[in-house]
Amino acid sequence: MLFLLAVVIAFTTACSGSSESASETVTENLETQVQPLSPHKQQVRELLLSRVTDDTASFQYIDRVRFIEHVMPENYVSEQVDIADTVHIFRMIEDGDVVVAQSVLIYNRSDRSPEVVVDIFRYDGQKIVERWANIEVISDGDSWQTRTQGDTLITDLDKTEANKKLAEEYEKKNFQENYRTEIEEMGEAGEDDGYQPDPGVFCDAIYAIYGEGNFVFVMQDITHIGGAVGGYSTANFNILQCKDNEVINRWTCSENFHYEGDYPNGKYKVLNE
């Protein structure tokens, strides 16, 4: 009860414009805090909060010998301490040895735009051994509020596996509907030139699916082959909300890249098994 009261006070102070230093502002969705956090979720929470503080105590949860980052070097966890002024933590999903976290970073000390971040941490025992992440800059005309609003309360734990299958089917269908026209148009253009392009103009791959009750995370890659820049990939880290055998909400965090080689340890591959 005291913990919940403290969170409410902290949240109210942050929203009302406290005179405290902006670099120390931390806000969290209260619905998430109503549910007790598992040990692993609590550890991930502390790591996320270090992005607005100089506190590196949470690094103790990382296996420094075996830990592998699947992000650009400048986005390594060790490079993200005290980088933002505010962090909003919205959703956490725990599935086996994996914790997925959705958050927003706000930068008041610079002109840097807000960023939606989806982190995936994999544990081996009590230590974190791998991390994947997508970091998407909020463009002008968009807002982080609209990109994250909605339910956060985890329910229907008995439907986790069914919802994971539902989410996978939804993403596959969504891909076909979104890219069918482009695939057909490129195919027609190729036929006019007497050349039939590779049928995999747009390749869809799902690398991971993790779920907890009504929330499911899907790690998806869409590879765009060809084009003036030689092709590129879009990494979609999606969180879907399921209810009554339907997907009723979807939050996406996308990151475009040209070469997986830009990521020293690969963008998706599980290396530390």
Side-chain angles (χ1 to χ4, degrees):
M1 182 62 70
L2 290 176
F3 174 73
L4 288 178
L5 180 59
V7 172
V8 172
I9 293 173
F11 184 85
T12 304
T13 301
C15 291
S16 61
S18 170
S19 59
E20 294 180 354
S21 171
S23 64
E24 298 178 355
T25 302
V26 175
T27 61
E28 298 178 89
N29 188 287
L30 295 184
E31 284 190 332
T32 302
Q33 297 305 309
V34 169
Q35 296 175 310
L37 296 180
S38 69
H40 285 174
K41 281 187 178 181
Q42 178 60 34
Q43 291 174 4
V44 168
R45 173 182 174 273
E46 292 177 28
L47 274 171
L48 298 182
L49 299 188
S50 71
R51 291 171 178 169
V52 297
T53 69
D54 287 320
D55 187 6
T56 60
S58 57
F59 286 13
Q60 65 181 301
Y61 307 131
I62 296 174
D63 187 325
R64 294 179 178 272
V65 176
R66 301 174 58 205
F67 185 59
I68 295 176
E69 294 264 29
H70 297 272
V71 296
M72 297 287 196
E74 62 268 25
N75 292 324
Y76 283 0
V77 166
S78 60
E79 301 293 330
Q80 291 192 295
V81 177
D82 192 24
I83 61 169
D85 300 289
T86 305
V87 57
H88 299 271
I89 302 172
F90 287 93
R91 295 169 183 87
M92 283 188 176
I93 297 170
E94 184 170 5
D95 188 349
D97 57 4
V98 171
V99 174
V100 179
Q102 179 199 47
S103 62
V104 170
L105 297 177
I106 308 295
Y107 304 90
N108 297 325
R109 290 171 289 178
S110 68
D111 295 331
R112 188 170 173 176
S113 299
E115 296 169 339
V116 175
V117 184
V118 173
D119 291 283
I120 302 94
F121 295 93
R122 188 174 76 83
Y123 281 79
D124 185 1
Q126 299 305 311
K127 295 287 187 178
I128 296 171
V129 293
E130 284 189 285
R131 171 188 175 241
W132 298 260
N134 259 13
I135 303 172
E136 182 177 356
V137 177
I138 302 299
S139 59
D140 293 339
D142 199 358
S143 72
W144 61 264
Q145 291 93 338
T146 58
R147 295 289 302 277
T148 55
Q149 66 185 4
D151 297 332
T152 62
L153 196 64
I154 295 175
T155 62
D156 300 330
L157 291 175
D158 60 324
K159 298 179 181 178
T160 295
E161 293 305 316
N163 286 337
K164 287 165 69 173
K165 293 180 181 178
L166 176 65
E168 180 179 13
E169 293 172 358
Y170 178 91
E171 290 295 354
K172 288 180 177 179
K173 181 180 179 181
N174 184 63
F175 165 78
Q176 291 296 330
E177 291 179 349
N178 285 344
Y179 291 98
R180 181 185 295 113
T181 300
E182 296 182 62
I183 292 172
E184 291 175 350
E185 288 178 352
M186 293 190 74
E188 291 172 358
E191 290 173 358
D192 292 342
D193 295 336
Y195 169 72
Q196 179 60 46
D198 189 315
V201 170
F202 293 90
C203 300
D204 173 42
I206 292 178
Y207 283 87
I209 299 177
Y210 303 116
E212 184 177 12
N214 55 326
F215 289 107
V216 180
F217 166 78
V218 179
M219 181 190 290
Q220 179 189 48
D221 173 81
I222 299 173
T223 302
H224 311 265
I225 299 174
V229 295
Y232 66 96
S233 290
T234 300
N236 286 335
F237 285 15
N238 302 326
I239 296 177
L240 295 84
Q241 180 186 4
C242 304
K243 183 177 181 180
D244 297 331
N245 204 36
E246 291 184 351
V247 174
I248 63 172
N249 214 336
R250 180 175 182 261
W251 300 269
T252 187
C253 180
S254 299
E255 188 175 294
N256 293 333
F257 61 97
H258 291 292
Y259 306 103
E260 189 168 359
D262 293 339
Y263 296 79
N265 297 313
K267 179 68 176 175
Y268 308 106
K269 186 177 180 181
V270 177
L271 298 177
N272 206 347
E273 295 185 290

